[in-house]
Amino acid sequence: MLNETVAPAENVRSGRRPALRKDGRYASVFLAPSLGGLALFTLFPTAMALAISLFDWPVFGERKFLGFGNYSHLLSDPVFRRVVLNTGLFVALYVPLNVIVSLGLATWLGPKIKGRQAFRVLFFIPVMTPMVANVMVWRLLFQPGGLLDAGLSSWFGIHAPNFLGSSNWAMPAIVAMSIWQGFGYNFLVFSAAIDQVPQSQLESAQIDGAGPFQRFRYVTWPMITPSLFFATTMTLITSFQVFAQPFILTQGGPGVATQTIVMYVYNQGWQFLSMGLASAAGWVLFVIIMGITAIQFVGQRKWVNYDV
Amino acid sequence: MRGTPARARRWLTAAGAVLALTAVAACGGGNGGSSGSGSADKADLTWQFWIGGTADQAAWQKVADQAHVDHSGITVKLQGTDWNNYWSKIGTLLAGGKAPCIIGMQSLRLASYASAMLPLDDLMKKYGLKTEDFDKPIMDGLKADGKQVAIPYDSGPMVIFYNKDLFKAAGVADPKPGWTMAEFEAAAKKLTTGGRTGLVTTPGDLGVTSWVRTLTGAEPLAGGKLNLTDQKFVDGFTTYANFVRTDKIAPQVPSGNSDFETTQFTSGKSAMQLNGPWSLIDTLGKVKFNLGIAPIPAGPDGSKTFTAGSGFGISRSCKTPDAAFQAIMSMTSEKPLTTLAAAGRAYPARTAAHPTWFTAAKIPEAKEVIEYASQNSVPLVTSKNWVQVNDLLTRFGTQALNGEIPPDQALKTIQDQAGSGS
C-alpha cells in the first residue's frame, strides 16, 4: 500500500519536472528578446544614469567624482525646488481635471446617446494629432494680440491677460491645453468600462427607485474602479513626465514658472551639456514616480473593486 | 536551495556594478576620432550642419560641391539636422571624438564648443587665407582665446527694421544713420497708437545686449566673466525693460516664443524691431508694406551694436585637417557665398559677395545702413555657458519686461544662477 501510494506521487513529480524544465526553457527563449531589450535599453541606461549622477560630468572636459554632490546641489538649488513644485502643481491640477472631464463626458455619452461613436472619434482626435501642431495653435490663441486677446478687445473692449507671459497665468494655460490634448485617451478607457456595466443592474436599481446620481454612485462607480485605477495611475506617471507642452508653449518661463523636472533634465543635459546634474535630476524624478505609484498600489486595496 | 536566490542577488549586484563601472570607464575614453580619411589633397569628408528643409539641403549641397570643384580629390558629404537638435547632436559627437571633420558653428555658441575644435591660424597661414577679405567683426566673433576657430560664411550687425508705411502715416521722418535715442523714443511714442506699438522687443541675448550696449556702453562680459550686475548694464537693461513696462511703446512679451517679435512686426502690429540682416530678405518676402532699415539709435557714445554670425570649423578628431581646411576655403570662397547671397540667404561674411546681396535685398539704404552698423559693431563675445545665460535671460527677462520683477532683480538672479560664466 505504501509503495502504491508513494509511487504515483513520485511518478507525478518525476513526470512533471522535465516538463516544467522544458516549459521554462521555452519561456526563456521567448522572453529572451524582450528581456534583452529591457536590460539593454532600460536597466543599463538607468544604471548608467545612476553612475553618471555621482560625477561632475561635462560633455567636454574633465570628469570628477562628486559622490552625492549633484544631489545636494539640487536640494539646495531654489530653481530645482521650484521646478519640483511646478511639476507637483501640474500633476495636482491636471490629473483630477483630466479624470473629471473624461469621466464626465464618458458618462454623459452613455449607450443611449445618438451619434456617440462620432463623438468618441471627435474627442480622440487631439490625442492623435501631433503635440507640436496642437501647441502651436494654442500659442496663437494665448499670445498677446492672439485670438483670445483680439476677440475680447473687439467685443468687450478689454484685453485678455498675457497668458504665456504671466507667472500666474502660464501654468493654468498649460494645464488647459494639456487637458484638451489628453482627455480623449481616458475618455475611451472610461467609455469602454461604462459599456461593460450590465444594463440589467442599472434597470434593477432604477426600479428600486435609484436616481441617475445614485445609479452612478452605487452601480457604475464600483464596477469601473479597476479602469479608474488604471487610468489614474497611468495619467499620474505621464503627467510627472510632462515636457512637450511647457517646452513648446512657454520654454518653461516666464522665470521658471512652468519649468518641469523633465525640462530641467533636458536643459541640463542637452542644452547646458551637464550630464551629471541631468542624471541626478532624472533619478530624483524616478524616485518620486516610483514612490507615488507604490502608494497608489497600496491604496487601491481600499477603493478598487475587482469582485464584481 | 535557500542560498541560491541570495547568491544570485549577490552575483547580479556584482555584475551590475561591474557593468556600470565598465560603462563609466568606457565613456571616459579618449578622443580616438574616426572622421574623414585620406590626405591633404584626397579625402572623403563629412560636414555636419543645421538644415531647415529640402530647399536648404539643396542650397548647402552646392556649397559642399564647391570643394570638389576646386579640389578633385576632395569630396564633402553634407549631413544635417534642424537647428534645435543640431546642438545636442554635435555636442555628443564632439565629446565622443566621433565628430565629422567639418562642423557648422555659430559665434554665440563658439565658447562652449571651442575646446573640441581645431585652431585654424596655422592652416590659414599655410594656405594663405586672407582675413581682410572677410568682415572683421565676425572674423573676431569666431575666435576663442585669440585663436581663429571657424571661418565665417555670414555676418550680422544688428539693425532696426521699420515699417515705412506706418512712419509715413504718422508723419515721422525715416530714421537715418546717426539718429539719436531721443529721436527714436519720440518716433516710437508717436507710432504707438490705434492698437499698434512703435517697437517690439525680445528678452533674447542679441536684443538685450545690443540695446544695452548702445544705451550705456555696457557689455555682458568683463574680463571673461559675466558682468550682468554691473551698474551700467543694469541701467541699460532697465531703460530697455521700460520700453515695455512703463513707456508702453512695445507690447508685453509672451514666454518662450522667439517668433513673437518677428510676427508682431511682419503683421504690422509694431512699427520697429531689432533684427539681423540674415532675416532681411526673408522678412521682405513676408511683409505687405514698404520695409526700411536703420542703424540702432545712438546713445551717449554713438550707435553701438553687436554682430553675430556663423561659419565652418574643424573638429579635433579630424584625421585630415589640411583637406578639411581646403574644403572650408572653397566653401567660404566668393563663388558659393555669392550664390547664397543671390538666393537671398544670410548677409555674406566675404566682402566681395556684398554687392550681390544688396542687389537681392532691393532696399536702397541697405548698403549704407549695414556698412555703418558693421563699422559700429563688435562681436558679441560669449561665455562657455552662454546657452544657459541666454536661457536665463529669456526666462527672467520676460518677467522684467512685463513688469513682474524689477530689472535689477532679474539680472541678479541670472548672474547668481549662471555664476561667473566661465
Side-chain angles (χ1 to χ4, degrees):
Chain A
M1 282 295 284
L2 193 67
N3 283 344
E4 281 176 41
T5 51
V6 170
E10 277 183 353
N11 285 344
V12 168
R13 247 183 268 154
S14 60
R16 270 183 188 172
R17 269 186 169 174
L20 276 174
R21 273 202 291 270
K22 215 172 171 184
D23 285 350
R25 278 201 295 274
Y26 284 136
S28 305
V29 169
F30 284 118
L31 283 172
S34 173
L35 283 175
L38 185 76
L40 194 64
F41 297 113
T42 305
L43 298 179
F44 175 68
T46 309
M48 266 302 293
L50 185 60
I52 291 173
S53 74
L54 305 176
F55 285 79
D56 173 17
W57 191 295
V59 168
F60 305 118
E62 289 285 304
R63 291 156 196 169
K64 276 182 283 182
F65 182 73
L66 293 180
F68 291 102
N70 283 325
Y71 292 95
S72 58
H73 172 88
L74 288 178
L75 292 177
S76 63
D77 180 7
V79 167
F80 186 70
R81 287 205 297 266
R82 178 64 200 262
V83 162
V84 173
L85 198 73
N86 288 341
T87 312
L89 182 64
F90 178 84
V91 172
L93 289 171
Y94 175 72
V95 175
L97 285 171
N98 177 300
V99 171
I100 289 168
V101 170
S102 52
L103 183 59
L105 283 171
T107 311
W108 172 60
L109 276 178
K112 289 175 184 167
I113 297 284
K114 275 185 185 173
R116 63 198 294 255
Q117 296 301 344
F119 276 114
R120 281 181 175 179
V121 172
L122 207 65
F123 291 152
F124 200 67
I125 283 174
V127 180
M128 294 187 294
T129 50
M131 177 75 85
V132 176
N134 289 339
V135 175
M136 297 302 262
V137 171
W138 279 78
R139 198 157 80 174
L140 292 174
L141 283 177
F142 282 142
Q143 71 185 17
L147 221 60
L148 280 172
D149 190 24
L152 279 174
S153 58
S154 63
W155 291 332
F156 304 107
I158 50 164
H159 278 287
N162 180 5
F163 291 105
L164 305 178
S166 154
S167 300
N168 296 328
W169 282 100
M171 185 58 90
I174 287 172
V175 171
M177 186 266 146
S178 302
I179 289 168
W180 175 85
Q181 155 87 31
F183 83 88
Y185 183 80
N186 283 347
F187 164 78
L188 273 197
V189 172
F190 295 145
S191 286
I194 288 169
D195 283 358
Q196 295 302 310
V197 178
Q199 205 60 28
S200 57
Q201 291 195 16
L202 288 167
E203 283 165 6
S204 304
Q206 195 171 6
I207 291 165
D208 290 343
F213 177 76
Q214 284 170 315
R215 286 203 298 278
F216 179 79
R217 170 69 188 86
Y218 296 106
V219 181
T220 307
W221 178 270
M223 289 187 155
I224 64 168
T225 48
S227 299
L228 273 165
F229 174 63
F230 167 79
T232 49
T233 306
M234 297 307 288
T235 309
L236 208 66
I237 290 172
T238 52
S239 58
F240 267 109
Q241 297 169 344
V242 61
F243 172 75
Q245 300 94 306
F247 182 72
I248 308 170
L249 214 49
T250 58
Q251 290 272 306
V256 281
T258 55
Q259 194 176 10
T260 60
I261 302 179
V262 176
M263 233 183 112
Y264 184 89
V265 171
Y266 172 80
N267 279 346
Q268 289 297 336
W270 299 111
Q271 298 289 310
F272 314 152
L273 309 175
S274 176
M275 293 295 173
L277 211 54
S279 300
W283 261 85
V284 169
L285 177 64
F286 180 65
V287 168
I288 290 173
I289 291 177
M290 288 294 280
I292 300 277
T293 309
I295 291 168
Q296 275 188 295
F297 269 87
V298 171
Q300 63 145 338
R301 291 179 201 141
K302 291 187 179 168
W303 68 278
V304 180
N305 187 357
Y306 291 107
D307 300 330
V308 183
Chain B
M1 288 297 281
R2 277 181 191 168
T4 309
R7 204 161 58 221
R9 273 201 302 274
R10 279 200 297 276
W11 273 106
L12 275 174
T13 310
V18 169
L19 195 68
L21 286 172
T22 312
V24 170
C27 291
N31 283 337
S34 61
S35 62
S37 61
S39 62
D41 299 317
K42 190 169 165 45
D44 293 323
L45 304 164
T46 309
W47 167 31
Q48 187 78 228
F49 197 55
W50 52 87
I51 308 258
T54 45
D56 228 21
Q57 174 96 24
W60 291 114
Q61 187 58 54
K62 279 185 187 164
V63 174
D65 293 343
Q66 188 63 40
H68 188 67
V69 172
D70 294 349
H71 309 276
S72 58
I74 296 175
T75 53
V76 176
K77 188 181 167 196
L78 172 62
Q79 291 179 343
T81 181
D82 64 283
W83 171 262
N84 287 323
N85 288 317
Y86 177 79
W87 296 104
S88 51
K89 187 172 182 181
I90 202 73
T92 323
L93 290 171
L94 284 169
K98 305 283 182 196
C101 265
I102 304 172
I103 46 183
M105 187 50 60
Q106 187 211 24
S107 62
L108 301 180
R109 295 179 187 239
L110 183 78
S112 307
Y113 298 87
S115 62
M117 295 171 71
L118 196 70
L120 304 176
D121 303 73
D122 293 342
L123 288 164
M124 287 164 69
K125 208 176 285 174
K126 185 174 174 183
Y127 290 99
L129 187 129
K130 292 179 189 160
T131 52
E132 61 270 23
D133 289 344
F134 293 84
D135 274 345
K136 189 177 183 310
I138 192 55
M139 275 307 267
D140 291 343
L142 290 172
K143 280 180 181 169
D145 297 325
K147 291 175 182 164
Q148 198 72 45
V149 179
I151 307 299
Y153 71 85
D154 87 323
S155 171
M158 299 300 286
V159 291
I160 299 278
F161 289 7
Y162 71 95
N163 184 328
K164 280 187 174 177
D165 296 352
L166 288 180
F167 267 65
K168 197 174 174 184
V172 180
D174 284 352
K176 303 275 180 218
W179 71 318
T180 63
M181 198 57 71
E183 286 169 335
F184 156 76
E185 284 179 11
K189 275 179 190 159
K190 212 166 176 189
L191 287 155
T192 302
T193 177
R196 293 194 181 93
T197 56
L199 178 73
V200 57
T201 60
T202 168
D205 52 5
L206 276 170
V208 169
T209 56
S210 298
W211 279 104
V212 168
R213 184 163 188 262
T214 201
L215 282 162
T216 64
E219 301 211 18
L221 297 189
K225 306 275 183 200
L226 264 188
N227 191 38
L228 304 184
T229 48
D230 172 76
Q231 196 53 47
K232 277 175 78 178
F233 199 95
V234 173
D235 290 345
F237 183 63
T238 304
T239 306
Y240 179 56
N242 284 347
F243 292 159
V244 181
R245 40 179 234 146
T246 54
D247 305 343
K248 301 195 187 302
I249 54 172
Q252 293 224 328
V253 291
S255 182
N257 182 357
S258 53
D259 292 339
F260 176 71
E261 196 188 14
T262 295
T263 51
Q264 186 78 8
F265 176 72
T266 53
S267 64
K269 289 177 186 166
S270 296
M272 289 180 274
Q273 76 159 141
L274 188 75
N275 208 328
W278 53 79
S279 299
L280 185 69
I281 295 174
D282 183 49
T283 307
L284 203 60
K286 282 181 186 163
V287 300
K288 291 177 180 149
F289 51 80
N290 285 307
L291 180 67
I293 65 168
I296 197 165
D301 300 318
S303 173
K304 296 166 88 177
T305 191
F306 277 116
T307 282
S310 301
F312 314 126
I314 302 174
S315 62
R316 280 189 187 272
S317 57
C318 181
K319 288 177 178 167
T320 53
D322 281 76
F325 187 76
Q326 291 191 85
I328 287 175
M329 277 184 73
S330 295
M331 288 156 62
T332 55
S333 63
E334 192 176 335
K335 195 179 169 195
L337 294 196
T338 305
T339 310
L340 288 175
R345 284 175 188 274
Y347 180 62
R350 190 178 271 276
T351 49
H354 287 175
T356 309
W357 188 85
F358 289 129
T359 307
K362 293 175 194 153
I363 294 180
E365 70 272 21
K367 186 174 187 310
E368 182 194 5
V369 169
I370 289 179
E371 284 179 356
Y372 176 88
S374 191
Q375 283 158 14
N376 287 285
S377 80
V378 291
L380 178 55
V381 176
T382 60
S383 55
K384 280 183 183 170
N385 67 342
W386 190 256
V387 176
Q388 186 182 11
V389 174
N390 185 36
D391 178 70
L392 292 164
L393 203 53
T394 309
R395 293 167 179 284
F396 296 102
T398 300
Q399 288 186 306
L401 291 172
N402 290 342
E404 279 196 351
I405 56 172
D408 59 338
Q409 188 190 323
L411 292 174
K412 186 176 181 313
T413 308
I414 298 164
Q415 182 88 36
D416 289 348
Q417 280 289 314
S420 68
S422 55

